[in-house]
Amino acid sequence: TTPPAAAAAAATTTTASTTTSTTASTARTLGLPEVRSNTLESLTALPLDSLKLTLQSLGLKAGGSAAERAGRLWAVKDLQRDDIPNKMRDKKTFDQCTERLKRTGM
């Protein structure tokens, strides 16, 4: 038999890899780069320019601190484009980005 501590560790590892896999596949539906970690803190640790470019490529507002940008990206990671709240959209570029993503098959 497996000791309880080892069984718990194995279950935690399985759950974490499943969550990371789900996050990554969902992120790809929006055209986001693969998210290898499933925490907001890991996104906050990314360079400001990286967060900004990702948000801009989605037609989302891209200003603010790293925490604000990461929070915005985190908030939309599981949403379809039509479900993204208007207050997060960049009015000038959201529709253009939607059309570009449709053309590229994302």
Side-chain angles (χ1 to χ4, degrees):
T1 59
T2 305
T12 301
T13 302
T14 302
T15 302
S17 76
T18 302
T19 303
T20 301
S21 172
T22 302
T23 302
S25 65
T26 307
R28 281 192 296 272
T29 63
L30 261 181
L32 298 176
E34 185 171 331
V35 178
R36 296 192 185 277
S37 181
N38 60 345
T39 65
L40 177 58
E41 291 78 21
S42 66
L43 288 176
T44 305
L46 294 173
L48 275 175
D49 287 342
S50 177
L51 292 169
K52 181 177 182 174
L53 290 174
T54 301
L55 289 165
Q56 287 176 332
S57 72
L58 295 169
L60 301 176
K61 294 179 180 178
S65 67
E68 291 168 327
R69 292 176 186 185
R72 213 172 293 127
L73 192 55
W74 185 257
V76 302
K77 70 177 178 55
D78 293 326
L79 299 178
Q80 296 296 319
R81 283 198 67 77
D82 294 338
D83 297 332
I84 296 174
N86 287 335
K87 68 181 182 179
M88 292 184 158
R89 299 176 183 189
D90 182 324
K91 294 174 186 169
K92 294 179 182 177
T93 62
F94 186 81
D95 292 334
Q96 294 169 351
C97 291
T98 300
E99 290 302 316
R100 179 182 44 81
L101 289 171
K102 284 180 184 177
R103 283 193 310 272
T104 60
M106 295 184 134

